[in-house]
Amino acid sequence: MKLAENLNVLFSEEVLQARVRILGAQIASDYQGRDLVLVGVLKGSFIFLADLARAIDLPLSIDFVGLSSYGDATETSGVVQITTDLTRPIVGKDVVVVEDIVDTGLTMKYLLENLETRHPRSVRVCSLLTKPSRARVQVPVSYLGFSIEDKFVVGYGLDRAGLYRNLPFVAEVK
Ligand code: 5GP
């Protein structure tokens, strides 16, 4: 793919694919015999989820939630609205929430509290990226791709103003 000049690649396609395979193997070993549901957070997780699901050698189902936060373009306010809800109940299920990036943690905190009210058997988080220096609330990420510094990143599902999601790598916008 032609590289835009303002992008600095942080994680190449090969590095991402290798990490996703490891995460998938970990989840497969932890959830054997369980009723696993992957819940992808739209839109940013869709490519990560597609690769992760294929790296988990177990029967599983997949659902999505859409969230929007009332912040400005780059900062979450913590006030979150569910714009697309799950299509099936998760009562009694083992849920792994699949997210592109946990930044302040406010979005994930809200989502986890909301999911708990639906009485799943368990809920864990799998995030491709975290920015620990930006955390405002602690969110346990059981399955983590990579920690990054306080940089705005795009690609592999992550966008800026709707663009860049289809890049096969993760890059910093300079
Ligand atoms: P939080 O509530 O943790 O602050 O925000 C999480 C959401 O903010 C992510 O799901 C993502 O949509 C967005 N976000 C945070 N950091 C970045 C980033 O570096 N790049 C992109 N594209 N989105 C980000």
Side-chain angles (χ1 to χ4, degrees):
M1 182 173 290
K2 191 168 174 289
L3 242 184
E5 278 167 20
N6 62 335
L7 297 180
N8 177 31
V9 177
L10 297 180
F11 304 108
S12 68
E13 182 171 5
E14 293 71 26
V15 167
L16 290 175
Q17 295 300 330
R19 188 75 193 122
V20 170
R21 275 197 295 277
I22 289 169
L23 292 174
Q26 281 174 358
I27 292 171
S29 114
D30 291 353
Y31 286 86
Q32 277 181 33
R34 309 270 289 268
D35 198 353
L36 176 60
V37 184
L38 301 182
V39 171
V41 183
L42 293 171
K43 301 176 188 167
S45 75
F46 81 107
I47 289 180
F48 177 41
L49 175 64
D51 286 343
L52 183 70
R54 285 177 287 181
I56 301 173
D57 188 14
L58 287 181
L60 55 79
S61 58
I62 295 175
D63 211 339
F64 292 94
V65 285
L67 303 174
S68 79
S69 90
Y70 297 104
D72 61 38
T74 54
E75 186 80 16
T76 319
S77 65
V79 183
V80 182
Q81 189 185 19
I82 293 187
T83 53
T84 306
D85 206 351
L86 298 175
T87 57
R88 291 193 180 173
I90 52 168
V91 57
K93 309 254 184 197
D94 291 294
V95 174
V96 173
V97 178
V98 180
E99 176 64 299
D100 52 0
I101 184 164
V102 175
D103 184 19
T104 63
L106 291 168
T107 304
M108 188 55 73
K109 180 172 185 285
Y110 171 87
L111 178 60
L112 292 176
E113 287 171 1
N114 182 289
L115 293 178
E116 285 296 349
T117 67
R118 307 174 195 214
H119 306 294
R121 182 170 183 269
S122 67
V123 182
R124 284 184 182 166
V125 176
C126 175
S127 185
L128 178 69
L129 303 169
T130 59
K131 289 184 196 170
S133 67
R134 299 249 315 154
R136 284 173 54 191
V137 288
Q138 286 309 315
V139 171
V141 178
S142 303
Y143 306 99
L144 173 64
F146 304 96
S147 290
I148 61 169
E149 290 168 17
D150 186 5
K151 296 173 174 172
F152 192 81
V153 293
V154 296
Y156 201 61
L158 289 142
D159 77 310
R160 192 179 68 169
L163 297 176
Y164 299 115
R165 292 194 199 275
N166 59 326
L167 297 175
F169 50 80
V170 169
E172 175 190 5
V173 184
K174 287 190 269 190

